[in-house]
Amino acid sequence: MNSQISKFVEGDTHELSDKIKIIKPNEKFIKAYNLELNSNDSFSEKNVNEPLFLIKEISYIQVQYSGFVCKSKYISTNSENEAIDIFKSFLGIAIAIKLLNVNQRRRPLLLARISNLVHVHQEDSPWKYIKSIELNQDFAEVLYGLDINSSNIKSIKEILEVLALVLSQDKFTEKLMLSAKWYFESFLGNNELLSFIQTMVALEILFGDKKVSDLIGIGRLLGNRCAYFIGKNFVEREEILEIFDKIYEIRSNIVHSGKKRLTQFERDLYYKLKEIVSRAIQEELFLIYRNNK
């Protein structure tokens, strides 16, 4: 990841939960995980180690997960995919709570070669390198473009405390983590229609209820729940209810009529939908935090 993420870390490592750590690489870490030797695993035609200073220019998110891993870099297993999903969920939450900003930034060529890799290791003494998986280009570009939100720098410590407590509550966070994953994926690529649907799915995961939606309709259900969950007063709730019917109509036109593109008016509603989902994830996060602190 972009080295700016190292601002999270006091010292070399910050443990967010028993599964997720943010790591600022030093020579000891690089040697322990054999990164200098294997950072170019996906580029076998150029069997040359990446310069050490470049490896130090990125931050690492370490995700621990138990399960089977295939040694072939061309075959991914459920365990590998689940670990990457946890990573996406963490990023989705961090973007939603305005801890990270999504920016477009071109990566230096050599840095691009190592910052789009997931290194798989087996827990041992020392850790045993298995393989490196290359992320798709859209994922890698967003990952490198993530920046710390400068307006939140003073409160990073408090935000991380909230994240650490919530991410440790597995039985309460299933919907939050899944919604955050879809929210993060809505930032990948340039397909606005797909992104719109992914953002709506993130909202439906949090607020959907098939039994109730069969009675009153999923659009009305989502609008009502959003309005009363994130609206701070009567005026805000009415505004959310007013625009949500239009937002859901766009969703239906994409899914059921094969809509080709968004108009500028619809694009403005899409940005409002992004903000609604961001606020919903924020509220869910802090609700879990208040109930478990």
Side-chain angles (χ1 to χ4, degrees):
M1 294 181 65
N2 183 343
S3 60
Q4 270 216 353
I5 310 302
S6 295
K7 292 180 180 179
F8 276 130
V9 182
E10 294 181 8
D12 295 322
T13 303
H14 185 94
E15 188 169 320
L16 283 172
S17 72
D18 58 344
K19 292 181 180 177
I20 306 174
K21 296 178 183 177
I22 304 171
I23 297 172
K24 183 163 52 180
N26 55 27
E27 292 187 30
K28 182 179 178 181
F29 172 80
I30 292 166
K31 184 174 291 187
Y33 288 93
N34 211 14
L35 297 177
E36 191 174 10
L37 293 176
N38 298 297
S39 60
N40 66 328
D41 183 71
S42 291
F43 304 90
S44 55
E45 72 279 6
K46 291 186 178 180
N47 190 23
V48 181
N49 294 343
E50 301 296 349
L52 186 61
F53 78 90
L54 278 178
I55 296 176
K56 290 183 176 180
E57 281 298 310
I58 58 178
S59 302
Y60 288 85
I61 301 292
Q62 186 181 64
V63 178
Q64 290 187 256
Y65 197 87
S66 298
F68 172 74
V69 172
C70 179
K71 291 184 177 181
S72 171
K73 65 185 179 184
Y74 301 109
I75 300 174
S76 62
T77 65
N78 185 60
S79 299
E80 297 164 40
N81 294 331
E82 288 290 338
I84 292 174
D85 284 348
I86 291 172
F87 182 31
K88 288 180 177 178
S89 296
F90 161 71
L91 293 174
I93 291 172
I95 294 167
I97 64 177
K98 315 297 185 186
L99 190 57
L100 297 178
N101 292 324
V102 179
N103 298 300
Q104 296 296 322
R105 175 188 291 109
R106 290 187 64 82
R107 297 173 295 164
L109 182 59
L110 284 175
L111 188 55
R113 291 174 59 190
I114 57 175
S115 61
N116 67 346
L117 295 177
V118 174
H119 303 293
V120 182
H121 293 78
Q122 178 181 334
E123 189 171 11
D124 208 337
S125 297
W127 285 73
K128 181 182 178 182
Y129 173 81
I130 304 297
K131 63 180 176 180
S132 294
I133 306 167
E134 189 171 359
L135 298 172
N136 70 54
Q137 190 66 23
D138 291 336
F139 191 171
E141 289 294 341
V142 170
L143 196 57
Y144 186 73
L146 293 175
D147 281 330
I148 299 294
N149 187 339
S150 58
S151 63
N152 276 333
I153 285 178
K154 291 184 179 179
S155 57
I156 281 180
K157 186 176 180 180
E158 290 81 5
I159 293 172
L160 289 178
E161 288 177 358
V162 173
L163 274 175
L165 188 146
V166 171
L167 292 174
S168 65
Q169 307 295 319
D170 287 349
K171 64 180 179 179
F172 300 114
T173 60
E174 184 177 352
K175 280 191 174 184
L176 173 66
M177 295 292 280
L178 188 55
S179 175
K181 170 187 170 291
W182 278 86
Y183 181 65
F184 172 75
E185 290 177 340
S186 73
F187 290 94
L188 307 185
N190 299 311
N191 188 328
E192 284 185 323
L193 300 179
L194 176 59
S195 178
F196 193 103
I197 296 302
Q198 289 170 320
T199 310
M200 279 297 302
V201 170
L203 198 63
E204 291 181 33
I205 289 168
L206 284 180
F207 297 134
D209 185 324
K210 189 176 187 309
K211 290 181 180 179
V212 179
S213 66
D214 285 346
L215 295 174
I216 67 172
I218 184 66
R220 180 60 56 87
L221 173 67
L222 293 176
N224 285 336
R225 289 188 171 179
C226 280
Y228 285 90
F229 192 62
I230 67 176
K232 302 299 182 185
N233 51 52
F234 175 79
V235 174
E236 273 197 15
R237 289 195 288 270
E238 288 298 304
E239 287 177 351
I240 293 169
L241 287 170
E242 183 179 346
I243 67 170
F244 203 86
D245 284 343
K246 299 171 185 175
I247 288 172
Y248 198 79
E249 184 179 355
I250 297 169
R251 179 259 190 208
S252 296
N253 286 337
I254 295 171
V255 172
H256 301 299
S257 303
K259 186 176 180 63
K260 292 182 178 179
R261 61 186 61 85
L262 300 179
T263 65
Q264 186 56 54
F265 173 73
E266 292 169 335
R267 194 170 291 114
D268 291 340
L269 288 176
Y270 163 59
Y271 295 141
K272 288 180 180 178
L273 172 62
K274 284 277 196 187
E275 184 58 29
I276 286 173
V277 176
S278 171
R279 289 176 60 186
I281 290 174
Q282 289 177 44
E283 289 296 327
E284 182 71 10
L285 179 82
F286 286 104
L287 178 65
I288 295 171
Y289 174 73
R290 289 191 297 269
N291 289 340
N292 291 280
K293 67 177 181 178

